[in-house]
Amino acid sequence: GENVEQHPSTLSVQEGDSAVIKCTYSDSASNYFPWYKQELGKGPQLIIDIRSNVGEKKDQRIAVTLNKTAKHFSLHITETQPEDSAVYFCAASKGYSTLTFGKGTMLLVSP
Amino acid sequence: GAVVSQHPSRVICKSGTSVKIECRSLDFQATTMFWYRQFPKQSLMLMATSNEGSKATYEQGVEKDKFLINHASLTLSTLTVTSAHPEDSSFYICSASRSGGGYGYTFGSGTRLTVV
């Protein structure tokens, strides 16, 4: 089955800096890669996703890149703000099958 | 669009009792709903996948008689934790996939279950 590795487990940045979280996946047939933000005591919230026919996608301060050959994808957050502090999960799936999640990255943005 | 409502958000129950958690897709029809369990500082662990009108498919190691899942309509799935014990205390989260796919997965806000 699919295996998703996520790094780092914790990331501390200063407000205004950029943050990058990286994930690798094992199943070359996976074609959907979402990123979720989870705040304490809440369910995950989709922040951006990318499909395998696209190499990069951007939404304001958030971008995701995908390298199908290397089987890795990354989340980039620019101009970080304290409210970006949360746990971020990457995930992968094949078609509309179940998602396989990474272990999560706790992002701490200090003012 | 694509809102999933999960209730209750918190529940405390006595050991040996049963608890039902509801997951509703408010503005779309969900062919498939998923139930996850999350321990503190850990990732989401898939418990089961339910398709409307059919029996749920449970992941290995998940007791189907303890975690009863019903997906009777395209907008509602329920998870019942039967004869709950303190070790069942956890954060339970549902997600729903829109009929026909193509829109990803929307998560509920989660239910914190505490068994005392």
Side-chain angles (χ1 to χ4, degrees), chain B residues 10-46:
Chain B
R10 289 178 176 272
V11 59
I12 301 173
C13 71
K14 290 186 177 180
S15 189
T17 61
S18 296
V19 172
K20 181 183 282 189
I21 302 169
E22 290 190 351
C23 181
R24 292 179 185 273
S25 55
L26 298 186
D27 52 359
F28 67 100
Q29 293 186 325
T31 306
T32 306
M33 287 189 172
F34 306 88
W35 287 95
Y36 295 85
R37 184 172 181 176
Q38 187 178 34
F39 292 104
K41 298 186 179 181
Q42 292 191 24
S43 190
L44 286 77
M45 181 187 78
L46 180 67

